[in-house]
Amino acid sequence: MIDLAMDMEQYDCPFIDTTADHDVEFAAAHWEFHPVAEELECRMVVESPDRGALDNGLSALQSHENMHDVDLLAKQEGVAHLKTVMAETDAMGTIRDNDGYITGPFYIADGSETWHVGFDQASKADGTLSELERDNEFDVVERDEVTLPQMNDVVQNAAAAMTLVDGCRELSDVERQTLESAASGGYFESPRQTNLGDLAEEFDVSKPAVSKNLRRGERKMVERVVDALSELDD
């Protein structure tokens, strides 16, 4: 299988148009294509800095000519959960006509959309990209050739992967930033390329404070790694 990650700008996508004009971001939680009606039904999570910006974005989405239906399932502060039904875009039609399929969630922000698309053959992928270039702006961010054993490994270990993702989400902003700086600076190397003093200076805090943030982040991630290892064993 050829797996492509693409940064796509579609001129007929209501989500892309909405993020280009309003301060909102969309992420697809679930999607289903209805071939007879040529419609794409999605469960979307939309996020915005505040309720006012969110309401403006939702209003623009509902009035878009290619959006057939928007059903608000839940809303809290600057986040909402939607069920949407939209017309098939030209780019999606091109991918489907060439036997392509979606392999991961959509993410839409700032007028562009991240797609994860799969093809069974490299020739199909190359032909589709050539067709897409005629009417769309896009960049192939990543291209991987996934073998059958790799596909089987991904499917069987999806739960373990989500455990690690949940661990990342549990980190506070300070813990995440401290871990990232420590790792990129060589704190975990032997010998260390940076130390607590360097990290404390970078974050303008005391060495005990940066050590505390580092330990908290490490503990959360190690706990999740242990849980994921247990799921892999199962």
Side-chain angles (χ1 to χ4, degrees):
M1 183 186 84
I2 305 300
D3 190 48
L4 303 176
M6 305 170 62
D7 184 23
M8 173 72 69
E9 295 182 22
Q10 300 183 82
Y11 305 121
D12 55 353
C13 176
F15 297 112
I16 289 180
D17 286 347
T18 301
T19 62
D21 298 332
H22 299 274
D23 194 6
V24 292
E25 299 177 357
F26 295 95
H30 174 267
W31 61 94
E32 181 178 1
F33 187 78
H34 302 290
V36 176
E38 295 186 341
E39 293 179 331
L40 182 66
E41 179 181 319
C42 296
R43 298 298 194 280
M44 305 292 291
V45 176
V46 53
E47 186 174 4
S48 190
D50 55 62
R51 182 181 288 270
L54 177 65
D55 290 341
N56 291 336
L58 293 178
S59 178
L61 184 69
Q62 290 173 323
S63 62
H64 196 282
E65 61 181 357
N66 284 348
M67 182 58 68
H68 294 176
D69 186 45
V70 177
D71 185 12
L72 180 62
L73 303 177
K75 183 169 69 171
Q76 183 176 359
E77 300 301 330
V79 181
H81 185 204
L82 311 174
K83 176 185 175 183
T84 64
V85 180
M86 60 176 282
E88 181 183 48
T89 64
D90 289 340
M92 182 58 68
T94 299
I95 289 173
R96 292 184 60 254
D97 289 343
N98 287 276
D99 298 326
Y101 44 89
I102 302 301
T103 60
F106 303 106
Y107 176 73
I108 310 104
D110 300 323
S112 67
E113 183 173 12
T114 301
W115 279 13
H116 297 276
V117 183
F119 296 90
D120 295 326
Q121 299 174 350
S123 59
K124 283 285 188 179
D126 294 336
T128 304
L129 293 176
S130 296
E131 289 186 37
L132 287 173
E133 286 179 343
R134 299 171 189 168
D135 300 307
N136 299 274
E137 296 289 337
F138 67 90
D139 292 313
V140 177
V141 180
E142 189 173 349
R143 176 174 177 144
D144 295 315
E145 185 169 353
V146 183
T147 65
L148 189 59
Q150 288 174 324
M151 292 174 60
N152 184 55
D153 194 39
V154 169
V155 172
Q156 290 193 357
N157 298 311
M162 285 306 303
T163 296
L164 295 179
V165 171
D166 289 340
C168 294
R169 289 173 176 158
E170 289 175 356
L171 296 172
S172 68
D173 289 342
V174 172
E175 292 165 353
R176 177 181 58 79
Q177 292 167 4
T178 304
L179 280 174
E180 288 176 347
S181 293
S184 61
Y187 179 82
F188 300 107
E189 301 293 331
S190 182
R192 285 178 173 167
Q193 304 301 311
T194 191
N195 54 41
L196 288 177
D198 297 328
L199 293 172
E201 183 176 349
E202 177 182 347
F203 290 99
D204 195 22
V205 297
S206 66
K207 288 198 290 186
V210 78
S211 177
K212 185 177 182 179
N213 291 330
L214 197 57
R215 289 199 309 272
R216 283 178 173 174
E218 287 178 310
R219 184 184 69 251
K220 290 179 180 178
M221 291 309 302
V222 168
E223 288 175 351
R224 286 296 188 172
V225 168
V226 171
D227 291 341
L229 288 173
S230 177
E231 291 172 353
L232 288 174
D233 290 339
D234 293 341

